[in-house]
Amino acid sequence: MIKKIIQETKNLIGSKKDIDALAVKEHARLLVISDSHGHYQTLEEIVKRYGSQCDGLVFCGDGAGDISQLLKLSKSDSDLRACIPPVIALARGNGDPSTYPVDSDLSISIPNAQIFTVNGRSILLVHGHREAVDFGMENLGLEMQLSDCKLAFYGHTHIAREERSEDYMFVNPGSCARPRGGQPAGFAIATIEKKFVDIAFIKMEMNDRGEKIYSIWTPYY
């Protein structure tokens, strides 16, 4: 549960105590979401279903207003607040402003890139448009080298994907609202261990009764 809706100097949302705890927490889990594009209800449903099981929420851009709405409503909705992971990292998408108001007393800054630490690992978070991820991982890989990060989360393409190149790992959770490439809408849960990182991609589909079904899948390219 997020205890304080405050933004630290490194642009992470959460208390300093929770941010410091995540940096060294073993067996940490991150809820990774991207490209909600104004579909707030979808974002909220995902957070309510999986957020309480995770130590951090990572938002890869294009939907800053949805994150703002989540924080705003959580101030008066204790059940929702209890589902939001204690630390939130977010990056600015090409459709996002640099700041976004939560209410009359609070606005959040949305950085183009974010570096944060989980279980001793430095992680780079970007949207991906500035790195031209539509055309490959070269620019993002260079940015990872310069920032001394071996793991990067990104969005923008709306296509769920996990790639590895030598010691570097690139993860796109896909879009929770506007998937492309024939993929279903979805997101990811990342388990950060000392010796490895495991990515579980989760897709959302409707069954014959009109009910939303969540299931693990392997993205196809």
Side-chain angles (χ1 to χ4, degrees), residues 159-191:
I159 296 175
R161 193 177 185 94
E162 176 186 341
E163 295 180 68
R164 297 174 187 262
S165 178
E166 297 179 351
D167 293 333
Y168 295 91
M169 185 174 183
F170 312 86
V171 177
N172 188 324
S175 171
C176 66
R178 297 181 181 176
R180 295 174 183 160
Q183 292 189 347
F187 54 97
I189 293 179
T191 301

PDB file of all heavy atoms in Angstrom, residues 159-191:
ATOM      1  N   ILE A 159       3.488  -3.115 -28.088  1.00  0.00           N
ATOM      2  CA  ILE A 159       3.725  -4.535 -28.376  1.00  0.00           C
ATOM      3  C   ILE A 159       4.540  -5.151 -27.238  1.00  0.00           C
ATOM      4  O   ILE A 159       5.661  -4.707 -26.956  1.00  0.00           O
ATOM      5  CB  ILE A 159       4.464  -4.717 -29.713  1.00  0.00           C
ATOM      6  CG1 ILE A 159       3.575  -4.220 -30.863  1.00  0.00           C
ATOM      7  CG2 ILE A 159       4.851  -6.170 -29.928  1.00  0.00           C
ATOM      8  CD1 ILE A 159       4.242  -4.251 -32.212  1.00  0.00           C
ATOM      9  N   ALA A 160       3.982  -6.137 -26.562  1.00  0.00           N
ATOM     10  CA  ALA A 160       4.679  -6.816 -25.484  1.00  0.00           C
ATOM     11  C   ALA A 160       5.895  -7.548 -26.038  1.00  0.00           C
ATOM     12  O   ALA A 160       5.805  -8.242 -27.057  1.00  0.00           O
ATOM     13  CB  ALA A 160       3.741  -7.791 -24.783  1.00  0.00           C
ATOM     14  N   ARG A 161       7.011  -7.386 -25.345  1.00  0.00           N
ATOM     15  CA  ARG A 161       8.243  -7.965 -25.887  1.00  0.00           C
ATOM     16  C   ARG A 161       9.304  -8.066 -24.782  1.00  0.00           C
ATOM     17  O   ARG A 161       9.417  -7.179 -23.943  1.00  0.00           O
ATOM     18  CB  ARG A 161       8.770  -7.093 -27.026  1.00  0.00           C
ATOM     19  CG  ARG A 161       9.859  -7.723 -27.873  1.00  0.00           C
ATOM     20  CD  ARG A 161      10.228  -6.783 -29.016  1.00  0.00           C
ATOM     21  NE  ARG A 161      11.182  -7.366 -29.921  1.00  0.00           N
ATOM     22  CZ  ARG A 161      10.882  -8.012 -31.037  1.00  0.00           C
ATOM     23  NH1 ARG A 161       9.618  -8.131 -31.386  1.00  0.00           N
ATOM     24  NH2 ARG A 161      11.805  -8.529 -31.812  1.00  0.00           N
ATOM     25  N   GLU A 162      10.053  -9.137 -24.827  1.00  0.00           N
ATOM     26  CA  GLU A 162      11.220  -9.304 -23.963  1.00  0.00           C
ATOM     27  C   GLU A 162      12.403  -9.675 -24.841  1.00  0.00           C
ATOM     28  O   GLU A 162      12.335 -10.650 -25.584  1.00  0.00           O
ATOM     29  CB  GLU A 162      10.984 -10.392 -22.912  1.00  0.00           C
ATOM     30  CG  GLU A 162      12.201 -10.675 -22.041  1.00  0.00           C
ATOM     31  CD  GLU A 162      11.997 -11.844 -21.095  1.00  0.00           C
ATOM     32  OE1 GLU A 162      10.820 -12.218 -20.841  1.00  0.00           O
ATOM     33  OE2 GLU A 162      13.001 -12.406 -20.627  1.00  0.00           O
ATOM     34  N   GLU A 163      13.450  -8.879 -24.750  1.00  0.00           N
ATOM     35  CA  GLU A 163      14.653  -9.139 -25.538  1.00  0.00           C
ATOM     36  C   GLU A 163      15.876  -9.123 -24.643  1.00  0.00           C
ATOM     37  O   GLU A 163      15.927  -8.378 -23.660  1.00  0.00           O
ATOM     38  CB  GLU A 163      14.833  -8.069 -26.625  1.00  0.00           C
ATOM     39  CG  GLU A 163      13.757  -8.049 -27.685  1.00  0.00           C
ATOM     40  CD  GLU A 163      14.016  -6.967 -28.725  1.00  0.00           C
ATOM     41  OE1 GLU A 163      14.984  -7.090 -29.485  1.00  0.00           O
ATOM     42  OE2 GLU A 163      13.240  -5.988 -28.742  1.00  0.00           O
ATOM     43  N   ARG A 164      16.856  -9.924 -24.998  1.00  0.00           N
ATOM     44  CA  ARG A 164      18.128  -9.944 -24.280  1.00  0.00           C
ATOM     45  C   ARG A 164      19.261  -9.817 -25.278  1.00  0.00           C
ATOM     46  O   ARG A 164      19.234 -10.424 -26.351  1.00  0.00           O
ATOM     47  CB  ARG A 164      18.277 -11.230 -23.466  1.00  0.00           C
ATOM     48  CG  ARG A 164      17.215 -11.388 -22.370  1.00  0.00           C
ATOM     49  CD  ARG A 164      17.292 -12.738 -21.688  1.00  0.00           C
ATOM     50  NE  ARG A 164      16.187 -12.950 -20.765  1.00  0.00           N
ATOM     51  CZ  ARG A 164      16.241 -12.755 -19.445  1.00  0.00           C
ATOM     52  NH1 ARG A 164      17.395 -12.347 -18.900  1.00  0.00           N
ATOM     53  NH2 ARG A 164      15.199 -12.980 -18.675  1.00  0.00           N
ATOM     54  N   SER A 165      20.232  -9.030 -24.914  1.00  0.00           N
ATOM     55  CA  SER A 165      21.431  -8.860 -25.725  1.00  0.00           C
ATOM     56  C   SER A 165      22.625  -8.831 -24.792  1.00  0.00           C
ATOM     57  O   SER A 165      22.784  -7.876 -24.011  1.00  0.00           O
ATOM     58  CB  SER A 165      21.370  -7.567 -26.542  1.00  0.00           C
ATOM     59  OG  SER A 165      22.550  -7.372 -27.288  1.00  0.00           O
ATOM     60  N   GLU A 166      23.413  -9.899 -24.822  1.00  0.00           N
ATOM     61  CA  GLU A 166      24.514 -10.069 -23.877  1.00  0.00           C
ATOM     62  C   GLU A 166      23.949  -9.980 -22.458  1.00  0.00           C
ATOM     63  O   GLU A 166      23.100 -10.763 -22.090  1.00  0.00           O
ATOM     64  CB  GLU A 166      25.612  -9.029 -24.153  1.00  0.00           C
ATOM     65  CG  GLU A 166      26.242  -9.182 -25.528  1.00  0.00           C
ATOM     66  CD  GLU A 166      27.303  -8.152 -25.820  1.00  0.00           C
ATOM     67  OE1 GLU A 166      27.464  -7.197 -25.032  1.00  0.00           O
ATOM     68  OE2 GLU A 166      27.980  -8.301 -26.850  1.00  0.00           O
ATOM     69  N   ASP A 167      24.389  -9.004 -21.662  1.00  0.00           N
ATOM     70  CA  ASP A 167      23.907  -8.893 -20.284  1.00  0.00           C
ATOM     71  C   ASP A 167      22.734  -7.938 -20.142  1.00  0.00           C
ATOM     72  O   ASP A 167      22.292  -7.657 -19.025  1.00  0.00           O
ATOM     73  CB  ASP A 167      25.041  -8.417 -19.365  1.00  0.00           C
ATOM     74  CG  ASP A 167      26.150  -9.454 -19.227  1.00  0.00           C
ATOM     75  OD1 ASP A 167      25.837 -10.654 -19.374  1.00  0.00           O
ATOM     76  OD2 ASP A 167      27.295  -9.066 -18.978  1.00  0.00           O
ATOM     77  N   TYR A 168      22.211  -7.441 -21.253  1.00  0.00           N
ATOM     78  CA  TYR A 168      21.169  -6.418 -21.201  1.00  0.00           C
ATOM     79  C   TYR A 168      19.800  -7.027 -21.493  1.00  0.00           C
ATOM     80  O   TYR A 168      19.648  -7.904 -22.348  1.00  0.00           O
ATOM     81  CB  TYR A 168      21.480  -5.295 -22.184  1.00  0.00           C
ATOM     82  CG  TYR A 168      22.730  -4.529 -21.825  1.00  0.00           C
ATOM     83  CD1 TYR A 168      23.974  -4.909 -22.339  1.00  0.00           C
ATOM     84  CD2 TYR A 168      22.677  -3.457 -20.946  1.00  0.00           C
ATOM     85  CE1 TYR A 168      25.133  -4.224 -21.988  1.00  0.00           C
ATOM     86  CE2 TYR A 168      23.825  -2.762 -20.594  1.00  0.00           C
ATOM     87  CZ  TYR A 168      25.050  -3.152 -21.115  1.00  0.00           C
ATOM     88  OH  TYR A 168      26.187  -2.473 -20.757  1.00  0.00           O
ATOM     89  N   MET A 169      18.791  -6.499 -20.787  1.00  0.00           N
ATOM     90  CA  MET A 169      17.437  -7.010 -20.912  1.00  0.00           C
ATOM     91  C   MET A 169      16.479  -5.848 -21.161  1.00  0.00           C
ATOM     92  O   MET A 169      16.470  -4.861 -20.412  1.00  0.00           O
ATOM     93  CB  MET A 169      17.055  -7.747 -19.628  1.00  0.00           C
ATOM     94  CG  MET A 169      15.714  -8.438 -19.656  1.00  0.00           C
ATOM     95  SD  MET A 169      15.483  -9.407 -18.126  1.00  0.00           S
ATOM     96  CE  MET A 169      13.907 -10.160 -18.442  1.00  0.00           C
ATOM     97  N   PHE A 170      15.668  -5.966 -22.213  1.00  0.00           N
ATOM     98  CA  PHE A 170      14.718  -4.933 -22.606  1.00  0.00           C
ATOM     99  C   PHE A 170      13.304  -5.510 -22.480  1.00  0.00           C
ATOM    100  O   PHE A 170      13.013  -6.557 -23.068  1.00  0.00           O
ATOM    101  CB  PHE A 170      14.936  -4.492 -24.057  1.00  0.00           C
ATOM    102  CG  PHE A 170      16.370  -4.181 -24.402  1.00  0.00           C
ATOM    103  CD1 PHE A 170      17.241  -5.197 -24.806  1.00  0.00           C
ATOM    104  CD2 PHE A 170      16.851  -2.884 -24.336  1.00  0.00           C
ATOM    105  CE1 PHE A 170      18.557  -4.912 -25.146  1.00  0.00           C
ATOM    106  CE2 PHE A 170      18.163  -2.602 -24.675  1.00  0.00           C
ATOM    107  CZ  PHE A 170      19.023  -3.601 -25.081  1.00  0.00           C
ATOM    108  N   VAL A 171      12.417  -4.818 -21.764  1.00  0.00           N
ATOM    109  CA  VAL A 171      11.077  -5.345 -21.527  1.00  0.00           C
ATOM    110  C   VAL A 171      10.025  -4.287 -21.846  1.00  0.00           C
ATOM    111  O   VAL A 171      10.064  -3.178 -21.307  1.00  0.00           O
ATOM    112  CB  VAL A 171      10.902  -5.814 -20.071  1.00  0.00           C
ATOM    113  CG1 VAL A 171       9.467  -6.302 -19.838  1.00  0.00           C
ATOM    114  CG2 VAL A 171      11.893  -6.916 -19.740  1.00  0.00           C
ATOM    115  N   ASN A 172       9.105  -4.653 -22.712  1.00  0.00           N
ATOM    116  CA  ASN A 172       7.932  -3.830 -23.002  1.00  0.00           C
ATOM    117  C   ASN A 172       6.707  -4.622 -22.548  1.00  0.00           C
ATOM    118  O   ASN A 172       6.482  -5.738 -23.030  1.00  0.00           O
ATOM    119  CB  ASN A 172       7.843  -3.534 -24.505  1.00  0.00           C
ATOM    120  CG  ASN A 172       6.758  -2.519 -24.852  1.00  0.00           C
ATOM    121  OD1 ASN A 172       5.698  -2.499 -24.235  1.00  0.00           O
ATOM    122  ND2 ASN A 172       7.019  -1.684 -25.842  1.00  0.00           N
ATOM    123  N   PRO A 173       5.897  -4.079 -21.619  1.00  0.00           N
ATOM    124  CA  PRO A 173       4.737  -4.840 -21.127  1.00  0.00           C
ATOM    125  C   PRO A 173       3.569  -4.883 -22.104  1.00  0.00           C
ATOM    126  O   PRO A 173       2.580  -5.569 -21.849  1.00  0.00           O
ATOM    127  CB  PRO A 173       4.344  -4.067 -19.865  1.00  0.00           C
ATOM    128  CG  PRO A 173       4.722  -2.650 -20.184  1.00  0.00           C
ATOM    129  CD  PRO A 173       6.016  -2.773 -20.969  1.00  0.00           C
ATOM    130  N   GLY A 174       3.677  -4.154 -23.220  1.00  0.00           N
ATOM    131  CA  GLY A 174       2.552  -4.028 -24.129  1.00  0.00           C
ATOM    132  C   GLY A 174       1.623  -2.922 -23.664  1.00  0.00           C
ATOM    133  O   GLY A 174       1.925  -2.209 -22.703  1.00  0.00           O
ATOM    134  N   SER A 175       0.515  -2.757 -24.324  1.00  0.00           N
ATOM    135  CA  SER A 175      -0.462  -1.732 -23.943  1.00  0.00           C
ATOM    136  C   SER A 175      -1.654  -2.391 -23.245  1.00  0.00           C
ATOM    137  O   SER A 175      -2.174  -3.395 -23.717  1.00  0.00           O
ATOM    138  CB  SER A 175      -0.956  -0.970 -25.171  1.00  0.00           C
ATOM    139  OG  SER A 175      -2.039  -0.119 -24.827  1.00  0.00           O
ATOM    140  N   CYS A 176      -2.064  -1.767 -22.139  1.00  0.00           N
ATOM    141  CA  CYS A 176      -3.214  -2.314 -21.418  1.00  0.00           C
ATOM    142  C   CYS A 176      -4.526  -1.893 -22.063  1.00  0.00           C
ATOM    143  O   CYS A 176      -5.590  -2.374 -21.670  1.00  0.00           O
ATOM    144  CB  CYS A 176      -3.176  -1.873 -19.955  1.00  0.00           C
ATOM    145  SG  CYS A 176      -3.397  -0.095 -19.688  1.00  0.00           S
ATOM    146  N   ALA A 177      -4.457  -0.983 -23.060  1.00  0.00           N
ATOM    147  CA  ALA A 177      -5.688  -0.445 -23.641  1.00  0.00           C
ATOM    148  C   ALA A 177      -5.728  -0.473 -25.161  1.00  0.00           C
ATOM    149  O   ALA A 177      -6.793  -0.668 -25.741  1.00  0.00           O
ATOM    150  CB  ALA A 177      -5.890   0.991 -23.155  1.00  0.00           C
ATOM    151  N   ARG A 178      -4.599  -0.274 -25.815  1.00  0.00           N
ATOM    152  CA  ARG A 178      -4.569  -0.183 -27.271  1.00  0.00           C
ATOM    153  C   ARG A 178      -3.459  -1.055 -27.849  1.00  0.00           C
ATOM    154  O   ARG A 178      -2.454  -0.561 -28.366  1.00  0.00           O
ATOM    155  CB  ARG A 178      -4.346   1.262 -27.716  1.00  0.00           C
ATOM    156  CG  ARG A 178      -5.446   2.227 -27.304  1.00  0.00           C
ATOM    157  CD  ARG A 178      -5.131   3.622 -27.809  1.00  0.00           C
ATOM    158  NE  ARG A 178      -6.135   4.606 -27.426  1.00  0.00           N
ATOM    159  CZ  ARG A 178      -6.040   5.893 -27.683  1.00  0.00           C
ATOM    160  NH1 ARG A 178      -4.972   6.361 -28.336  1.00  0.00           N
ATOM    161  NH2 ARG A 178      -7.000   6.726 -27.295  1.00  0.00           N
ATOM    162  N   PRO A 179      -3.581  -2.369 -27.766  1.00  0.00           N
ATOM    163  CA  PRO A 179      -2.524  -3.255 -28.258  1.00  0.00           C
ATOM    164  C   PRO A 179      -2.394  -3.179 -29.776  1.00  0.00           C
ATOM    165  O   PRO A 179      -3.341  -2.831 -30.480  1.00  0.00           O
ATOM    166  CB  PRO A 179      -2.989  -4.640 -27.804  1.00  0.00           C
ATOM    167  CG  PRO A 179      -4.475  -4.516 -27.753  1.00  0.00           C
ATOM    168  CD  PRO A 179      -4.732  -3.123 -27.244  1.00  0.00           C
ATOM    169  N   ARG A 180      -1.214  -3.531 -30.254  1.00  0.00           N
ATOM    170  CA  ARG A 180      -0.956  -3.553 -31.688  1.00  0.00           C
ATOM    171  C   ARG A 180      -0.341  -4.901 -32.067  1.00  0.00           C
ATOM    172  O   ARG A 180      -0.045  -5.729 -31.224  1.00  0.00           O
ATOM    173  CB  ARG A 180       0.005  -2.426 -32.075  1.00  0.00           C
ATOM    174  CG  ARG A 180      -0.541  -1.018 -31.861  1.00  0.00           C
ATOM    175  CD  ARG A 180       0.527   0.031 -32.120  1.00  0.00           C
ATOM    176  NE  ARG A 180       0.052   1.385 -31.845  1.00  0.00           N
ATOM    177  CZ  ARG A 180       0.842   2.425 -31.615  1.00  0.00           C
ATOM    178  NH1 ARG A 180       2.165   2.271 -31.631  1.00  0.00           N
ATOM    179  NH2 ARG A 180       0.321   3.607 -31.362  1.00  0.00           N
ATOM    180  N   GLY A 181      -0.156  -5.088 -33.358  1.00  0.00           N
ATOM    181  CA  GLY A 181       0.515  -6.284 -33.851  1.00  0.00           C
ATOM    182  C   GLY A 181      -0.280  -7.557 -33.651  1.00  0.00           C
ATOM    183  O   GLY A 181       0.299  -8.648 -33.601  1.00  0.00           O
ATOM    184  N   GLY A 182      -1.602  -7.429 -33.500  1.00  0.00           N
ATOM    185  CA  GLY A 182      -2.417  -8.614 -33.284  1.00  0.00           C
ATOM    186  C   GLY A 182      -2.369  -9.158 -31.873  1.00  0.00           C
ATOM    187  O   GLY A 182      -2.935 -10.221 -31.594  1.00  0.00           O
ATOM    188  N   GLN A 183      -1.703  -8.451 -30.965  1.00  0.00           N
ATOM    189  CA  GLN A 183      -1.600  -8.916 -29.593  1.00  0.00           C
ATOM    190  C   GLN A 183      -2.831  -8.527 -28.777  1.00  0.00           C
ATOM    191  O   GLN A 183      -3.545  -7.586 -29.119  1.00  0.00           O
ATOM    192  CB  GLN A 183      -0.352  -8.320 -28.926  1.00  0.00           C
ATOM    193  CG  GLN A 183       0.960  -8.830 -29.469  1.00  0.00           C
ATOM    194  CD  GLN A 183       2.140  -8.371 -28.618  1.00  0.00           C
ATOM    195  OE1 GLN A 183       2.018  -7.484 -27.768  1.00  0.00           O
ATOM    196  NE2 GLN A 183       3.295  -8.972 -28.840  1.00  0.00           N
ATOM    197  N   PRO A 184      -3.055  -9.223 -27.674  1.00  0.00           N
ATOM    198  CA  PRO A 184      -4.118  -8.811 -26.762  1.00  0.00           C
ATOM    199  C   PRO A 184      -3.642  -7.673 -25.865  1.00  0.00           C
ATOM    200  O   PRO A 184      -2.435  -7.439 -25.731  1.00  0.00           O
ATOM    201  CB  PRO A 184      -4.364 -10.075 -25.929  1.00  0.00           C
ATOM    202  CG  PRO A 184      -3.025 -10.752 -25.905  1.00  0.00           C
ATOM    203  CD  PRO A 184      -2.428 -10.500 -27.265  1.00  0.00           C
ATOM    204  N   ALA A 185      -4.563  -6.958 -25.265  1.00  0.00           N
ATOM    205  CA  ALA A 185      -4.203  -5.959 -24.264  1.00  0.00           C
ATOM    206  C   ALA A 185      -3.573  -6.669 -23.074  1.00  0.00           C
ATOM    207  O   ALA A 185      -3.934  -7.809 -22.747  1.00  0.00           O
ATOM    208  CB  ALA A 185      -5.444  -5.191 -23.826  1.00  0.00           C
ATOM    209  N   GLY A 186      -2.625  -6.013 -22.430  1.00  0.00           N
ATOM    210  CA  GLY A 186      -1.989  -6.672 -21.299  1.00  0.00           C
ATOM    211  C   GLY A 186      -0.975  -5.814 -20.579  1.00  0.00           C
ATOM    212  O   GLY A 186      -0.857  -4.606 -20.810  1.00  0.00           O
ATOM    213  N   PHE A 187      -0.217  -6.462 -19.730  1.00  0.00           N
ATOM    214  CA  PHE A 187       0.783  -5.813 -18.885  1.00  0.00           C
ATOM    215  C   PHE A 187       1.748  -6.900 -18.433  1.00  0.00           C
ATOM    216  O   PHE A 187       1.709  -8.025 -18.964  1.00  0.00           O
ATOM    217  CB  PHE A 187       0.110  -5.106 -17.700  1.00  0.00           C
ATOM    218  CG  PHE A 187      -0.785  -5.996 -16.884  1.00  0.00           C
ATOM    219  CD1 PHE A 187      -0.339  -6.597 -15.724  1.00  0.00           C
ATOM    220  CD2 PHE A 187      -2.093  -6.252 -17.295  1.00  0.00           C
ATOM    221  CE1 PHE A 187      -1.163  -7.431 -14.975  1.00  0.00           C
ATOM    222  CE2 PHE A 187      -2.929  -7.074 -16.557  1.00  0.00           C
ATOM    223  CZ  PHE A 187      -2.464  -7.670 -15.399  1.00  0.00           C
ATOM    224  N   ALA A 188       2.613  -6.586 -17.484  1.00  0.00           N
ATOM    225  CA  ALA A 188       3.591  -7.581 -17.041  1.00  0.00           C
ATOM    226  C   ALA A 188       3.834  -7.467 -15.547  1.00  0.00           C
ATOM    227  O   ALA A 188       3.623  -6.412 -14.941  1.00  0.00           O
ATOM    228  CB  ALA A 188       4.910  -7.416 -17.795  1.00  0.00           C
ATOM    229  N   ILE A 189       4.280  -8.558 -14.981  1.00  0.00           N
ATOM    230  CA  ILE A 189       4.769  -8.561 -13.601  1.00  0.00           C
ATOM    231  C   ILE A 189       6.207  -9.059 -13.637  1.00  0.00           C
ATOM    232  O   ILE A 189       6.479 -10.143 -14.163  1.00  0.00           O
ATOM    233  CB  ILE A 189       3.909  -9.448 -12.689  1.00  0.00           C
ATOM    234  CG1 ILE A 189       2.509  -8.840 -12.547  1.00  0.00           C
ATOM    235  CG2 ILE A 189       4.565  -9.601 -11.321  1.00  0.00           C
ATOM    236  CD1 ILE A 189       1.570  -9.658 -11.690  1.00  0.00           C
ATOM    237  N   ALA A 190       7.112  -8.236 -13.120  1.00  0.00           N
ATOM    238  CA  ALA A 190       8.535  -8.577 -13.114  1.00  0.00           C
ATOM    239  C   ALA A 190       8.954  -8.990 -11.708  1.00  0.00           C
ATOM    240  O   ALA A 190       8.676  -8.275 -10.739  1.00  0.00           O
ATOM    241  CB  ALA A 190       9.367  -7.386 -13.574  1.00  0.00           C
ATOM    242  N   THR A 191       9.588 -10.132 -11.607  1.00  0.00           N
ATOM    243  CA  THR A 191      10.145 -10.587 -10.338  1.00  0.00           C
ATOM    244  C   THR A 191      11.644 -10.358 -10.376  1.00  0.00           C
ATOM    245  O   THR A 191      12.342 -10.883 -11.255  1.00  0.00           O
ATOM    246  CB  THR A 191       9.845 -12.076 -10.102  1.00  0.00           C
ATOM    247  OG1 THR A 191       8.428 -12.279 -10.112  1.00  0.00           O
ATOM    248  CG2 THR A 191      10.400 -12.531  -8.760  1.00  0.00           C
TER     249      THR A 191
END
